[in-house]
Amino acid sequence: MALYESEFSQVCTGTMYTELQHDNPVEKNPHNHLPDKEEIKVTKCIQKMKDQVTSSSMINPVEIFTENVSQIETATKARMPTEDTIIALAVLPPTEIPGLFDELKSTIPEDASEIMQWFENNCVHGRIRRITRGGNVSRTAPLFPSKCWSVFE
């Protein structure tokens, strides 16, 4: 029994390369497990949102999120935060959004961690610039500050 557990509890050793227009990703390093097609779809959705942030006229991250999530399959949606969760943040006062986001982040499924990280970096807290030895975190300003997309007032 111990052999079975250790054999299948290894950390993934593989890496993949994919582009939005390709259905089949290219393997850079071999994986030690079967492919997760839903994870590939989630990763593509996240990359599409990142591309829209840099090249689109849409400046509202809630619009970017809801547009992209509405276009993916139901099984993939289950691995992402719900639209209601993201939209709920938009109706709060901008000063309350970071605190509630941190609370919501702990309740979101592990599979949605990449999309929540994207939202945190671009819309709520900003990217981590450095962490001091004392544990203090220094961040850049978010690309879309909450005062720009909050519909409160």
Side-chain angles (χ1 to χ4, degrees):
M1 187 72 153
L3 177 63
Y4 176 81
E5 289 174 2
S6 64
E7 182 181 343
F8 291 101
S9 62
Q10 296 176 5
V11 176
C12 174
T13 59
T15 56
M16 301 290 279
Y17 172 77
T18 186
E19 294 178 358
L20 294 175
Q21 59 270 40
H22 293 113
D23 288 331
N24 298 317
V26 178
E27 190 172 57
K28 286 184 177 179
N29 296 323
H31 288 260
N32 55 353
H33 58 87
L34 295 174
D36 183 349
K37 292 180 181 184
E38 296 306 318
E39 184 64 29
I40 292 168
K41 292 175 186 175
V42 168
T43 303
K44 283 186 177 187
C45 184
I46 290 167
Q47 186 58 50
K48 188 175 178 184
M49 286 188 276
K50 287 178 182 177
D51 291 346
Q52 285 179 342
V53 165
T54 57
S55 66
S56 177
S57 61
M58 283 192 295
I59 60 167
N60 188 330
V62 176
E63 287 178 23
I64 292 171
F65 178 82
T66 54
E67 176 188 310
N68 284 288
V69 170
S70 68
Q71 296 173 5
I72 58 178
E73 298 168 4
T74 305
T76 307
K77 282 183 187 179
R79 294 181 144 198
M80 305 200 54
T82 64
E83 292 174 43
D84 293 339
T85 302
I86 302 301
I87 292 170
L89 290 172
V91 298
L92 293 172
T95 56
E96 293 181 21
I97 290 173
L100 184 60
F101 177 82
D102 291 339
E103 288 179 35
L104 286 173
K105 192 174 161 186
S106 65
T107 65
I108 299 297
E110 184 66 31
D111 293 335
S113 63
E114 266 191 79
I115 188 69
M116 292 304 284
Q117 189 65 51
W118 176 87
F119 202 77
E120 179 177 4
N121 290 344
N122 292 293
C123 308
V124 181
H125 295 300
R127 295 192 182 278
I128 294 176
R129 203 174 350 176
R130 70 177 165 262
I131 301 173
T132 65
R133 289 183 184 165
N136 294 329
V137 178
S138 174
R139 293 181 176 265
T140 61
L143 189 59
F144 302 109
S146 55
K147 64 183 176 186
C148 294
W149 54 268
S150 173
V151 294
F152 183 78
E153 292 182 30

